[in-house]
Amino acid sequence: MYYCYQFVILLCLISVITGYPSYQDQIPNGKNVPHPCKKNYIWKGVGHLQMNGGGKRNVFGEAFSKAQHKWTKQLCEADSDKDGKSNGEELGDPNCVWTAGSKPTSTVGISHPGICEPVDSEECRSQQSYECGGEYNCEATNQTGVKYIDLKFPRTKVPPNETTFMCNTFTVPADKRYHAIAFEPLADNANVIHHMSVFACTEAEASQTKKTPHVCNMSKCRSNYITVWTVGLEGYCLKNDVGLLFGNGSFTHFSIELHWNNPKKKNRLL
């Protein structure tokens, strides 16, 4: 009987840089806005339709952009998502007195200023297309016997260049035949990470690559493309009964190619 050892591959993108001021710091409780549908989740990209930012802006993001990315009295008093509460009320600044760097009037009872809540109410459904339940959800990763592999970049200095491609090759288990069924990112600095590409390498290809982070134009293992990740995506789950074969008799290495974005060309050591 053939047994398939299943793995979820966690792709860890680690980098440290002091970049341009985060937009989260330009609004009250910008790092404390809860997900409107999922408890204990923070909506990092407050001005975007995707939880982790990137992609199309939501109505609050459009208003914030028009305000030159500043917390103005007009922006505070507006009700961008038309749910009956002003942006200031939703973000803990009901009197519109907050300034960047100060403590908001309230840090509890925060809600999303760019998504009408409750999301499933008739009023909100009539004015927005966002619905709960559309995020990444890979049930297969919770099955008995599924294992995880972390492919982690060590903390690495980000070069003072607007655009940098970094590559690193990782050895994966080869004692048995395995199948990868999902890929999930672990990114600790979305202000720097732009996107990531993942490739599978044979032993021969891997012998021509470095096993430490290095600047590259492109990975040398580009013949077997696996997946891509960019800001805003939460993961990639393969369909039922589908897996990427690796290990004994197959691919023995994975190569990750990162695109770092450093528009102000900051140069900070770890």
Side-chain angles (χ1 to χ4, degrees):
M1 178 178 179
Y2 177 73
Y3 182 76
C4 173
Y5 293 85
Q6 296 180 320
F7 270 80
V8 174
I9 311 294
L10 294 180
L11 307 166
C12 193
L13 320 179
I14 302 298
S15 59
V16 173
I17 185 174
T18 302
Y20 49 91
S22 169
Y23 290 155
Q24 290 177 315
D25 296 328
Q26 305 307 310
I27 59 176
N29 288 299
K31 296 180 179 179
N32 192 36
V33 177
H35 194 297
C37 305
K38 300 167 69 175
K39 292 183 179 180
N40 302 318
Y41 277 74
I42 297 299
W43 195 286
K44 297 179 181 179
V46 183
H48 293 268
L49 290 174
Q50 299 183 95
M51 182 178 72
N52 290 319
K56 189 176 180 180
R57 297 189 186 108
N58 56 40
V59 288
F60 175 76
E62 293 291 351
F64 183 55
S65 178
K66 290 180 181 178
Q68 304 299 311
H69 303 117
K70 295 180 180 179
W71 184 247
T72 64
K73 185 175 179 63
Q74 182 180 5
L75 178 63
C76 176
E77 293 178 341
D79 178 12
S80 295
D81 57 10
K82 308 298 182 186
D83 61 1
K85 296 175 66 177
S86 71
N87 296 330
E89 289 177 299
E90 299 215 59
L91 293 175
D93 182 28
N95 299 317
C96 300
V97 296
W98 181 85
T99 56
S102 65
K103 185 177 180 179
T105 301
S106 176
T107 57
V108 297
I110 307 304
S111 54
H112 202 305
I115 296 180
C116 181
E117 300 174 69
V119 175
D120 59 355
S121 68
E122 183 176 345
E123 181 180 354
C124 288
R125 284 184 174 181
S126 68
Q127 62 187 19
Q128 69 182 12
S129 59
Y130 180 81
E131 295 182 359
C132 294
E135 294 85 4
Y136 168 80
N137 180 22
C138 190
E139 295 182 359
T141 61
N142 298 318
Q143 294 179 359
T144 302
V146 173
K147 300 180 181 180
Y148 287 76
I149 298 177
D150 291 354
L151 304 182
K152 297 182 179 180
F153 263 67
R155 292 190 174 274
T156 305
K157 177 184 176 182
V158 177
N161 304 318
E162 183 173 351
T163 296
T164 301
F165 285 89
M166 296 289 292
C167 294
N168 198 4
T169 299
F170 302 84
T171 302
V172 295
D175 56 319
K176 301 181 179 70
R177 292 164 64 89
Y178 298 99
H179 284 84
I181 59 173
F183 298 86
E184 300 175 358
L186 297 174
D188 75 342
N189 196 337
N191 287 333
V192 174
I193 299 296
H194 182 272
H195 74 272
M196 166 188 65
S197 298
V198 185
F199 305 89
C201 311
T202 63
E203 191 69 42
E205 291 173 326
S207 66
Q208 303 177 39
T209 66
K210 295 181 180 180
K211 308 302 188 298
T212 56
H214 58 282
V215 177
C216 61
N217 290 324
M218 61 179 64
S219 170
K220 293 185 178 180
C221 295
R222 296 184 66 89
S223 59
N224 299 288
Y225 186 83
I226 299 177
T227 188
V228 66
W229 173 88
T230 190
V231 175
L233 298 180
E234 297 182 56
Y236 177 68
C237 184
L238 277 68
K239 295 182 178 181
N240 292 338
D241 300 321
V242 176
L244 172 72
L245 180 65
F246 70 93
N248 190 356
S250 185
F251 301 114
T252 55
H253 296 76
F254 284 176
S255 179
I256 297 180
E257 175 187 293
L258 303 182
H259 175 192
W260 278 341
N261 186 36
N262 182 7
K264 292 204 171 182
K265 302 180 180 179
K266 297 288 185 178
N267 186 13
R268 296 293 178 92
L269 298 175
L270 296 181

